Amino acid sequence: SGSGVGWSPGHASADSGSPGDFEVKGSSTKKISEMTTEMLEPIEGGVRSLDQELRGALQRCSSDDWMVQYEAINTLRRVCHHHARAALLPDAQRFLSFARQLCALVE
């Protein structure tokens, strides 16, 4: 979206490091390590911190910077894996917003 900078077979290259490592080329080249579900840490700080992290991640999903989107996706994954019941299920509007953002990222 936006700048056209992002991951695609033409923009990524395998790295000789870990099997899940790859590089994204754009305004700069950065190495990204894919995080497995088991590597995702819970968000510390209680409901207030969780709410701030979720709001921030949803906002960062619309960034033109793919690295910002990637970090936001990992935050959303952390929320889903560790905090879905507390952060998403009690608020239908938040859940729908969350789902829309994820769908937009997949397109």
Side-chain angles (χ1 to χ4, degrees), residues 27-87:
S27 59
S28 65
T29 301
K30 294 185 179 182
K31 181 177 165 185
I32 299 173
S33 293
E34 183 177 350
M35 294 184 70
T36 64
T37 301
E38 294 77 25
M39 296 168 69
L40 299 172
E41 297 287 329
I43 295 170
E44 301 292 329
V47 175
R48 176 176 255 161
S49 181
L50 179 58
D51 187 55
Q52 289 174 340
E53 287 286 332
L54 182 56
R55 283 185 203 197
L58 290 171
Q59 290 173 349
R60 291 188 304 275
C61 284
S62 61
S63 172
D64 287 338
D65 183 334
W66 195 87
M67 289 299 298
V68 172
Q69 288 182 6
Y70 183 79
E71 290 168 7
I73 291 167
N74 278 331
T75 299
L76 297 177
R77 290 178 62 212
R78 291 171 63 200
V79 170
C80 287
H81 185 66
H82 294 288
H83 311 284
R85 182 167 287 155

Side-chain angles (χ1 to χ4, degrees), residues 6-26:
W7 184 88
S8 71
H11 287 94
S13 62
D15 185 81
S16 60
S18 302
D21 288 352
F22 57 95
E23 292 181 351
V24 175
K25 301 207 186 277

